[in-house]
Amino acid sequence: MLRFLVRRSLGALVIIFLICAITFFLFFALPSEPALLACGKNCGDPALIEQINRNLGLHEPVPVQFWHYVVGIFAGRDMEVGNCPAPCLGYSFNDSQPVWETILDRYPTTLSLAFGGAAVFLVTGVAIGMIAAARRGTATDKFFSSLSLIGNSLQIYFIGVIAMWLFVDTWGVFDRPEYFPLTENPAKWFGGMLLPWLVLSIIFIANYSRMTRSQMIEQLNEEHVRTARAKGMSGRTVFFRYAWRGAIAPIVTIVGIDLGSLFGGAMITEFTFTLHGLGRLAVNSVTENDLPMLMGVMLFSCTAIVIANIVVDALYAYIDPRVRLS
Amino acid sequence: MTTCAKPEDNAATPAGAPGSAFLSVRDLYVHFSTEDGIVKAVDGLSFDLERGRTLGIVGESGSGKSVTGLSVLGLHDPMHTETRGEILLDGQEMTGAGEKTLEKLRGNKVAMIFQDSLTALSPYYTIGRQICEPYRKHTGASRRAAWARAVELLGRVGIPQPKLRAHDYPHQFSGGMRQRAMIAMALVCDPELLIADEPTTALDVTVQAQILDLLSDLQQEFGSAIILITHDLGVVANTADELLVMYAGRAVERGTVSEVLRAPQHPYTWGLLTSMPRLESDVSEALTPIPGAPPSLLATPTGCPFHPRCGYPAEVGGTRCEDERPLIGPGRGSACHLSAGQKRSLFIEQIKPRLG
Amino acid sequence: MATPEGILPSPRDDAAPAAAGEALLSAEGLTKHFPILGGFPFRRKVGAVQAVDGIDLTVRAGESFGLVGESGCGKSTTGRLLTRLLEPTAGRITYRGEDITHANRKQLAPIRSEIQMIFQDPYSSLNPRQTVGTIISGPMEINGLNPPGGRERRVRELLETVGLNPEHYNRFPHEFSGGQRQRIGVARALALEPRLIVADEPVSALDVSIQAQVVNLLQELQRELGIAFLFIAHDLAVVRHFSQRVAVMYLGKVVEVGDRDSIYRRPRHPYTHALLSAVPEAALTDADEEGGGRERIRLAGDVPSPVSPPSGCRFRTRCWKARERCAESEPLLVRVAGNRVGHLTACHFPEDPTTAADAREEAVVLDPALRGVRQPSSPSGV
Amino acid sequence: MWRRFKRDRAGVVSAYVVIFFFAAALLAPVISWLYGKNPYTTYGIERPGLLNEFFYPAKPNGGIDSEFWFGLEPGLGRDVFTQLFYGMRTSLMIATATTVLCVVTGILIGVTAGYLGGRTDYFLGRFIDLLLAFPSQLSFVAFTPVVYALFVSPEKETPTYLRVITLIIVMWALGWMGLARILRGQVLSLREREFVEAAKVTGASPWRIIRKELLPNLWTPLLVQSTLMLPTFVTVEAGLSFLGVGIIEPTPDWGRMFAAGARHYENDITYMFFPGIAMVIFVVAFNLLGDSVRDAFDPKTKR
Amino acid sequence: SSGGGGGGGNGNEPPKGPDKNRADNYSLGTKADSTGPAPEVPGSKKGGTVNVLQRDAFTYLDPAQIYYADQLTVQMLYNRSLTSYKIDEKGQVKLVGDLATDTGKVSDGGKTWTYTLKDNLKFEDGTPITSADVRQAVERLYAPWATDGPLYIPQWLSGEGQEFRKALPDGPYKGKHLPASVLDTPDEKTIVFHFQQPHADTPYAVAMPNIGAVPAKGGKDTGKNYNTRPVSSGPYKIETLKAGKQLTLVRNENWDPDSDPIRHQYPDRFDIRFGVQEPDSGRRLLADRGSDKNAMSFSNAVTIEVGPSVKNDAGTTSRTFNEVQPYVDYMAINMRRIKDKKVREALAYALPNGQILGQLGGPNAGQIAGNLLAPSLAGWKDSDPFGKKAKPNGDPVKARALLKEAGKEGQEIVYAYPNTTEYQKISVVVAQALDKAGFTVQKKEIDSNNYSTEISKVNKKIDIHRASWGADWPVGSTVVPPLFHGRGVADGGQNYWLLKDAGVDAEIDRIKGITDVKTASGEWVELSEEILTEHVPGVPIFYNRQWSIWGSGLGGVKYHSVYGTTDPTGVFVK
Ligand SMILES: Nc1ncnc2c1ncn2[C@@H]1O[C@H](COP(=O)(O)OP(=O)(O)OP(=O)(O)O)[C@@H](O)[C@H]1O
Ligand SMILES: Nc1ncnc2c1ncn2[C@@H]1O[C@H](COP(=O)(O)OP(=O)(O)OP(=O)(O)O)[C@@H](O)[C@H]1O
Ligand SMILES: [Mg+2]
Ligand SMILES: [Mg+2]
């Protein structure tokens, strides 16, 4: 296990470095010109563009810039705007804010959204899947399966808007979505995130409910589940402990992937509900050619994804003792 | 005491007041619907069992022994299985009972040892935990007490270093150890009825002996009734009180162990006995299995299901064996059209010598 | 550990008439230790199950070699090692003179069809998503066998041979009873007409009639096709009936090996004695009832664990003859005085085949767990 | 299996619905010819009076009438009916191709990694991680124009087939990793099962074990994932077309239609209704079909 | 009205109401106009919080860097420049002195401009605002980081392009200052600009937010980092800024209403939230519930998602406006590739303005343009050389004829557009119309992030593309030179048509030299008309409109016709 973690962490570092390098070279070598977005209406002036490029540190060759970037992460660096302590991800091209702090400022929102949403779609999806599995082949099964699928076939930007219109603007049953720090006011935090969670989960639920349903059906037919029944375990225990345990592995896999990607920001949800998380930051940094911010967001999200996957793989061995970790 | 049963077609005559026997199975039919048609796994089976007694069930492989066991616990999936008939456990009807009632009985009053121990154990939980669970549920014991009980039982079924091995997962156990774990799991609540489906097939004889002793220990202590499903006639001979011989989903012979083994009445039983290898027998001689192939449960032969493989339809005469289904009476008896005299003389003349 | 003397009898010494073939598959010092992982959250190796610990054995062409022993003593592991499903921790496996200990899949390919295995747990060795037909015809397909009349016909034949209905062709494993599943496994192993079958309890779940049928079938195969068997079983009567030579294992070691008669009639190792004495027999005749009740030796003491086997002789903790020496030095598997050629025993104080029973009687200690449960009917004895 | 499937009524109905969708997509030109309109003509802005000042259909219900059965598209005023069928044609073709590619890749990589284990697993696993974590969507958005520039003269329109191929490749590169990881996880525990050993003993090659022994046991995640994948690709494709990597106007596209409809729902619910309902029906039917096929493949579920 | 007409392609009604954005609405205010306090807004009350919903976060709060409408709007609340625009309820716009007592005194043939600061001007911390602070504000524009804001004043003072920075390479931060011959502060209240050339536009140029006051002393000016916390000279000061998320402004107690002719200080605070998409803000303001009752937006417009509902809801008429903005959308023609004027004319006739506008929301979103200058420019004259108002959907017949004349039938046109939903649709109508006129269209979509970069490349392989421009102040001098002067032919320049004509250049230089704004204005308009008809460098498509809505709880919301946004200076909570 320790060996596994060490090996995987090393792999993760390599991956993160690779992604970092590739993205850096791709985006910094792209024919887009960030300077043009920081020149207001003065862009016709090549001298100004050069000036801006110097200000942004873009005048150096890309490998040198990359070197500075990497060094900055570990040792901090002196920048035109001032000293940037480690871990230094630079300053936004756009509003000159330190990238690291901006991301740290947005991350709680993203984490809240990801974890809360995941909790909702996991619980709901798995519950629906279990109901469907327990009553497989019946109308209940088809009804719940269809229900979750209808959710899936609609899109966040649509359901989100409708939900806001109905639940916030028309009936006022929910608070207007907004992020409040959990540490300051848990109740407000919950109230502010509830609607985004619900809407975010709608498109995920189908995947979980269907995966759960089919895995559960498979597991319920296993002989060892029959043994559990023969032991007098209650229907619930059999269902939730024995069958569920065997059904869990692929579900954990998708949770890992989904959570990983949510950690990188739920773009559409954030836009729909006017939340300020990494997703919005990512989109804005792309549209504004804000390369340091883009790199920063990317670094965060790819780290999250890689970690999520390591956790999933480590979990496999606990979920199924037959799996050997190496 | 008495292994009494009534003829299948004679439901009107109760053989003793209901509930007099601890377990009484009446006219049990278990049918599976499959791609190819209806599999009549159990086709009209009746038997009774008293407390403190052991009923051995032997018979053709695939003759419905395990299915019968499962029916007693109500473990068939009702969606795919048609179960008819009456199973009374201590006066309680099991076939129609609700899941809740059954849950309380299973693992507690009735326990079952499954045949296929690797697949019957959950691969996800440690052996210890799997044994603990029914104990905690049925006795309300604490986690620690239950664990201690599990370790104790593992020790009793002969698992070395039970404390350590209780933490193992089934795939880390050898076949025999799994089976013993399975047995420990069934015994953990000192059940009043134990259905042991080939409990010792994967065990070496010394351990087997130990297990069988353990079972009788249980019986002595708690007056439990045991249904011992096995192929090993030796085990039956040493352990069971009564014996039921099954063929194609039906009982073909029943009686006390010594009655059936020493004076068997049914040609199938004769076949079984003669095909058994013995430690003293001559190895150069091939074993003598019953000729022919086991019947298809999809289309069981008409009349006596054994008639295509039986050597004696001629003795019965006519086509009676093909047409008429022989009945088995209550108590000692066999489902065969041969007359009692014929049975006796045929056994003594033709079969007994071969048993040597 | 195996010593030079411990190596099994070479074919030259062998006097058994039935197995006149040369060594087909042999193992030297074969060892398998499973690591035990423990601890949370970081599982580390905390010990090893010494499932098989340096055994030597040879299966000769065309013979049936029986392997009996305590459950958990490493029989299945041995079978798996010999079929190269497990990577041995140490030791050497040779097949027809060729070292296959570490052969890879490509190198093994030509002999894969020659060594087959029947698995102990029939159900888990059957793919739940394949029909019986697919399961049995699979090996033929893999090895490009095209029996006359097509594979399906062959499968149906095989099904019939093992006493299954050919109409079961399209059924799935879970629809079968335990015994039927086991027969599917047998049919699968037979499909390739191999030279050697490692049969791990192939008949244990069968009723005696089918068992007889299968044993007869195997015997026929052995006789007519010269198929050799490594026959792992608990039913000593069946082993005796089917195997020309028998090895007795205890806790990862072979404790006694020899030809059938000599093992069953003149066992020298106390454990073999105990085994033979414990065979339950149906009292079919009055004679059985009266005189046939052989005395059952009950082994006392805790079953030692393969994780930390006892020093010296592994059986000593339960042996009625154990003395200091047993704890100090490990007995070698040798031909002890009084044994026939080829009968090897690993015991410092082997039983005298004739007087052993008497000596045994006093030494029998009842397992405390079983005390008072069911006394042996009468110690009158043999 | 077939018989088991036929007994599942919901499954059969779903199958018909799905077949209907694919047939309608294939026959779009025929439908359009019979109906006498095409999806490209901007009826609304060519004929005054069909659209109002906001360029929404002037008639109620999104301009449904005997001429335009499903009404008109806001803005350009094209015929929704033919657009929908042509759109389904584009979307289903792309989504199906992508799904097939993803499933095949997912199986190949996932099962290989899981089955071979060891170093292969490690590196394939890291490769998957890399792709999962890589900001591929952004990169594609950034680089598709560069790629187009490589293949297409800067003065010529990018041909639609190139867009289709690019889109398929992009979605393929984005989409197979999840399935691969799930399969890998499943195989990790399957390969320890005894029947795999049994196959090994008979000399089965890893390839055969994967195909014959493991795959049948992977039907469940495979079907569940792939049936969900196909409709998802329809919407992903719409999303990508907003980001500039997709099928663009005037090629009709179902996913894009739905997204556009969702935008205009307040003022022209009809425009969202038909593509939306079609989408819901398709997604539900396709997935129920997937479930039914799964059930049919499972020998233990009987009806 | 002069700017009226227009209308969509289908003869639909244009938005009603008087058109405030007309050239004759603009004038220079007198000294009297420049004295405070600002006239009371009828019904106004003090107190309350105004919630502001904005789509994009403000990139800059530092007045030195502000150039875009939304930031121009918000800075009015905390920043004062030398002059500012005073807009009355009728929409009359007067340029008046803000920090300065009037719009400036000119001397030296238009080269020297003198401004006197009003009394009682204070920063938020109570320190008085002196001419040194104004000098600070100007001199910091010389620092290398000050690249985003308008650079008219430093360039006029010290040289064109980036040349000027050499005069003070580090800005005022290393203790150096511009010599008095360039920028003079003879006393605490006077500031004198000595330009290299005469600049009649100076009163407008000093209305840009970066010609205001930045504390020279006390280390408050932290250079580039001043951006996060600029010191207020206006009625509100920054309370908190959560970058990218939220900005709150609270009363500045040190602001003296009597010194300010423009601004009020009614609400207690402004709570500005960023990231609210336009359809969202539209829906919320339309729904008018809870805290949204007191909400408005500076620059978010009513989009077509909610447009019809807003229009159909009679209750909203009192809380909306729909006005023409000083921005023109046009289709630029690459004159280096389409050299034949006839072909360009054919293009001009062929383009379907009405249909294009239709995809963006129709007449509510804009007004069909006849020429390249917005109606709000001083001296603007209505003209329609290509008959766009009569035939908003183009004149394919005439276009075809012209093309035939030129012998270029089937002429291939590479049409580039940003790859967004709307412009994809627009590409359909454009291609269709050009097709009808006998062109062969090659549509090239360009990633919208890179669109502006791509179209401003000199060697672009594009024949026509959409672009737009807005005046910095309502005089043609901020439109014609950057768009048409040959100097603008550079990568990144706004001379998208790549027009390089000696005659035009000379004419531009000539008009620049005119010292009277009024004359110059007229000349700019004439020049632009001439360029359009003589050179046909592009095709005017439409003038943008701003359609705003605010919550029913607010009063005093009006249109800021120079910035094209909602003016918050007189807003109060009812
Ligand atoms: N789920 C099922 N579907 C269809 N047929 C079944 C099913 N389960 C069991 N059967 C059939 O029912 C018959 C009885 O099975 P059962 O398991 O009771 O046999 P058994 O007597 O226990 O045999 P064995 O000694 O071999 O275990 C067999 O022929 C078997 O094929
Ligand atoms: N994968 C494994 N991991 C750890 N221990 C194992 C594993 N497989 C087997 N063992 C251990 O190895 C020992 C020998 O097992 P094996 O299966 O060979 O016994 P066996 O002789 O076949 O017994 P039985 O007759 O009961 O089947 C047992 O103690 C078992 O627990
Ligand atoms: Mg059975
Ligand atoms: Mg074994």
Side-chain angles (χ1 to χ4, degrees), chain B residues 165 168 171-177 180 202-203, chain C residues 34-35 49 51-52 69-78 80 120 200-201 234 306:
Chain B
R165 303 300 304 248
D168 275 358
H171 71 281
Q172 292 166 311
F173 269 32
S174 79
M177 291 160 73
R180 282 178 272 168
L203 303 180
Chain C
F34 291 104
V49 178
V52 174
E70 173 118 54
S71 127
C73 68
K75 302 183 296 297
S76 303
T77 306
T78 307
R80 281 198 158 78
Q120 181 172 15
D200 196 352
E201 315 233 1
H234 288 304

Coordinates of all heavy atoms in Angstrom, one line a residue, chain B residues 165 168 171-177 180 202-203, chain C residues 34-35 49 51-52 69-78 80 120 200-201 234 306, ligand 2:
Chain B
R165 N -6.8 -16.2 11.7 CA -7.4 -16.4 10.4 C -8.8 -15.8 10.3 O -9.3 -15.7 9.2 CB -7.5 -17.9 10.2 CG -6.2 -18.7 10.2 CD -5.2 -18.3 9.2 NE -5.5 -18.3 7.8 CZ -5.0 -19.1 6.9 NH1 -4.2 -20.1 7.3 NH2 -5.3 -19.0 5.7
D168 N -9.0 -13.2 7.9 CA -8.7 -13.5 6.5 C -10.0 -13.4 5.7 O -11.1 -13.4 6.2 CB -8.2 -14.9 6.3 CG -6.7 -15.0 6.5 OD1 -6.1 -13.9 6.7 OD2 -6.2 -16.1 6.4
H171 N -11.1 -15.9 0.0 CA -10.2 -16.4 -1.0 C -8.8 -16.8 -0.5 O -8.0 -17.4 -1.2 CB -10.0 -15.4 -2.1 CG -9.3 -14.1 -1.7 ND1 -9.8 -13.1 -1.0 CD2 -8.0 -13.8 -1.9 CE1 -8.9 -12.2 -0.8 NE2 -7.7 -12.6 -1.3
Q172 N -8.6 -16.5 0.8 CA -7.3 -16.8 1.3 C -7.4 -18.2 2.1 O -6.4 -18.7 2.6 CB -6.8 -15.8 2.3 CG -6.5 -14.5 1.6 CD -6.3 -13.3 2.6 OE1 -7.2 -13.1 3.4 NE2 -5.3 -12.6 2.5
F173 N -8.6 -18.8 2.1 CA -8.8 -20.0 2.7 C -8.7 -21.2 1.7 O -9.0 -21.0 0.5 CB -10.1 -20.1 3.4 CG -10.1 -19.6 4.8 CD1 -9.2 -18.6 5.2 CD2 -11.0 -20.1 5.8 CE1 -9.2 -18.1 6.5 CE2 -11.0 -19.7 7.1 CZ -10.1 -18.7 7.5
S174 N -8.3 -22.3 2.2 CA -8.4 -23.5 1.3 C -9.8 -23.9 1.3 O -10.7 -23.5 2.1 CB -7.5 -24.6 1.8 OG -8.2 -25.2 2.9
G175 N -10.1 -24.8 0.3 CA -11.5 -25.2 0.1 C -12.1 -25.8 1.4 O -13.2 -25.4 1.8
G176 N -11.4 -26.6 2.1 CA -11.9 -27.2 3.3 C -12.1 -26.2 4.4 O -13.1 -26.2 5.2
M177 N -11.2 -25.2 4.4 CA -11.3 -24.2 5.5 C -12.5 -23.4 5.2 O -13.2 -23.0 6.2 CB -10.0 -23.3 5.5 CG -8.8 -24.1 6.0 SD -7.3 -23.3 5.5 CE -7.3 -21.9 6.5
R180 N -15.4 -25.2 6.4 CA -15.5 -25.2 7.9 C -16.0 -23.8 8.4 O -16.8 -23.7 9.3 CB -14.2 -25.5 8.5 CG -13.9 -27.0 8.5 CD -12.6 -27.4 9.0 NE -11.6 -27.3 8.0 CZ -10.3 -27.4 8.3 NH1 -9.9 -27.5 9.6 NH2 -9.4 -27.4 7.4
A202 N -15.5 -31.3 1.2 CA -14.2 -30.8 1.0 C -13.2 -31.1 2.1 O -12.1 -30.5 2.2 CB -14.2 -29.3 0.6
L203 N -13.6 -31.9 3.0 CA -12.8 -32.1 4.2 C -12.1 -33.5 4.2 O -12.7 -34.4 3.8 CB -13.7 -32.0 5.5 CG -14.4 -30.6 5.6 CD1 -15.3 -30.6 6.8 CD2 -13.4 -29.5 5.6
Chain C
F34 N 2.4 -17.8 0.7 CA 1.5 -16.7 0.4 C 1.8 -15.6 1.4 O 1.8 -15.9 2.6 CB 0.1 -17.0 0.5 CG -0.4 -18.0 -0.6 CD1 -0.6 -19.3 -0.3 CD2 -0.7 -17.5 -1.9 CE1 -1.1 -20.2 -1.3 CE2 -1.1 -18.3 -2.9 CZ -1.3 -19.7 -2.6
P35 N 2.1 -14.4 0.9 CA 2.3 -13.4 1.9 C 1.0 -13.0 2.6 O -0.1 -13.1 2.1 CB 2.7 -12.2 1.1 CG 2.2 -12.4 -0.3 CD 2.1 -13.9 -0.4
V49 N 1.9 -17.6 4.6 CA 1.3 -18.9 4.7 C 2.2 -19.8 4.0 O 2.3 -19.7 2.7 CB -0.1 -18.9 4.2 CG1 -0.7 -20.3 4.3 CG2 -1.0 -17.9 4.8
A51 N 2.1 -22.5 2.4 CA 1.1 -23.5 1.9 C 1.7 -24.8 1.4 O 1.2 -25.9 1.7 CB 0.2 -22.8 0.8
V52 N 2.7 -24.6 0.7 CA 3.5 -25.8 0.2 C 4.9 -25.5 0.5 O 5.4 -24.4 0.2 CB 3.3 -26.0 -1.3 CG1 4.2 -27.1 -1.8 CG2 1.8 -26.3 -1.6
G69 N -4.8 -35.8 2.2 CA -4.2 -35.1 3.3 C -5.2 -34.2 3.9 O -6.3 -33.9 3.4
E70 N -4.7 -33.7 5.0 CA -5.5 -32.7 5.8 C -6.1 -31.6 4.9 O -5.4 -31.2 4.0 CB -4.6 -32.1 6.8 CG -5.1 -31.0 7.6 CD -5.2 -31.4 9.1 OE1 -4.1 -31.7 9.6 OE2 -6.3 -31.3 9.7
S71 N -7.2 -31.2 5.2 CA -7.7 -30.0 4.5 C -6.9 -28.8 4.8 O -6.6 -28.5 6.0 CB -9.2 -29.8 4.7 OG -9.5 -28.6 5.1
G72 N -6.5 -28.1 3.8 CA -5.7 -26.9 4.0 C -4.2 -27.2 4.1 O -3.4 -26.3 4.4
C73 N -3.8 -28.4 3.7 CA -2.4 -28.8 3.8 C -1.7 -28.4 2.6 O -0.5 -28.6 2.5 CB -2.3 -30.3 4.1 SG -2.8 -31.3 2.7
G74 N -2.4 -27.9 1.6 CA -1.6 -27.4 0.4 C -1.8 -28.3 -0.9 O -1.1 -28.2 -1.8
K75 N -2.8 -29.1 -0.9 CA -3.0 -29.9 -2.0 C -3.4 -29.1 -3.3 O -2.8 -29.3 -4.3 CB -4.1 -31.0 -1.7 CG -3.9 -31.9 -0.5 CD -4.9 -32.9 -0.3 CE -6.3 -32.3 0.0 NZ -6.3 -31.6 1.3
S76 N -4.4 -28.3 -3.1 CA -4.8 -27.5 -4.2 C -3.7 -26.6 -4.7 O -3.5 -26.4 -5.9 CB -6.1 -26.6 -3.9 OG -7.1 -27.4 -3.4
T77 N -3.0 -26.0 -3.7 CA -1.9 -25.2 -4.1 C -0.9 -25.9 -4.9 O -0.4 -25.4 -5.9 CB -1.3 -24.6 -2.8 OG1 -2.3 -24.0 -2.0 CG2 -0.2 -23.6 -3.1
T78 N -0.6 -27.2 -4.5 CA 0.3 -28.0 -5.3 C -0.2 -28.2 -6.7 O 0.5 -28.0 -7.7 CB 0.4 -29.4 -4.6 OG1 0.8 -29.2 -3.3 CG2 1.5 -30.2 -5.3
R80 N -2.2 -26.3 -8.3 CA -2.1 -25.0 -9.1 C -0.6 -24.7 -9.5 O -0.4 -24.1 -10.5 CB -2.5 -23.9 -8.2 CG -4.0 -23.7 -8.1 CD -4.3 -22.3 -7.6 NE -5.6 -21.9 -7.9 CZ -6.7 -22.3 -7.3 NH1 -6.6 -23.2 -6.3 NH2 -7.9 -21.9 -7.7
Q120 N -11.4 -27.5 -7.7 CA -12.1 -28.0 -6.5 C -13.5 -27.4 -6.4 O -14.4 -28.1 -6.1 CB -11.3 -27.7 -5.3 CG -11.9 -28.2 -4.0 CD -10.9 -28.0 -2.8 OE1 -9.9 -27.2 -2.9 NE2 -11.2 -28.6 -1.7
D200 N -8.7 -31.9 -8.9 CA -8.8 -31.5 -7.5 C -10.2 -31.8 -7.0 O -11.1 -31.1 -7.3 CB -8.5 -30.0 -7.4 CG -8.3 -29.5 -6.0 OD1 -8.4 -30.3 -5.1 OD2 -7.9 -28.4 -5.8
E201 N -10.3 -32.9 -6.3 CA -11.6 -33.4 -5.8 C -12.6 -33.4 -6.9 O -13.7 -32.8 -6.9 CB -12.1 -32.4 -4.7 CG -11.0 -32.1 -3.8 CD -11.4 -32.3 -2.3 OE1 -12.5 -32.8 -2.1 OE2 -10.6 -32.1 -1.5
H234 N -10.4 -36.5 -0.9 CA -10.5 -36.8 0.5 C -11.1 -38.2 0.8 O -10.9 -38.8 1.8 CB -11.4 -35.8 1.2 CG -10.8 -34.4 1.4 ND1 -9.6 -34.3 2.0 CD2 -11.2 -33.2 1.0 CE1 -9.3 -33.0 2.0 NE2 -10.2 -32.3 1.3
P306 N -0.2 -23.1 9.1 CA 0.8 -23.0 8.1 C 1.6 -21.7 8.2 O 2.6 -21.6 7.5 CB 0.1 -23.2 6.8 CG -1.3 -22.8 7.1 CD -1.6 -23.1 8.5
Ligands
LIG2 N1 -4.4 -16.8 -2.2 C1 -4.0 -17.2 -1.0 N2 -3.6 -16.3 -0.1 C2 -3.2 -16.7 1.1 N3 -3.3 -18.0 1.6 C3 -3.7 -18.9 0.7 C4 -4.1 -18.6 -0.6 N4 -4.5 -19.7 -1.2 C5 -4.4 -20.7 -0.3 N5 -3.9 -20.2 0.9 C6 -3.6 -21.0 2.1 O1 -2.7 -22.0 1.7 C7 -3.0 -23.2 2.5 C8 -3.2 -24.4 1.6 O2 -4.3 -24.2 0.8 P1 -4.8 -25.2 -0.3 O3 -6.0 -24.6 -0.9 O4 -3.7 -25.7 -1.1 O5 -5.3 -26.4 0.6 P2 -5.9 -27.8 0.2 O6 -5.0 -28.8 0.6 O7 -6.4 -27.8 -1.1 O8 -7.1 -27.9 1.2 P3 -8.6 -28.4 1.0 O9 -8.5 -29.9 1.0 O10 -9.3 -27.9 2.2 O11 -9.0 -27.9 -0.3 C9 -4.2 -22.9 3.3 O12 -3.8 -22.5 4.7 C10 -4.8 -21.6 2.7 O13 -5.4 -20.8 3.6

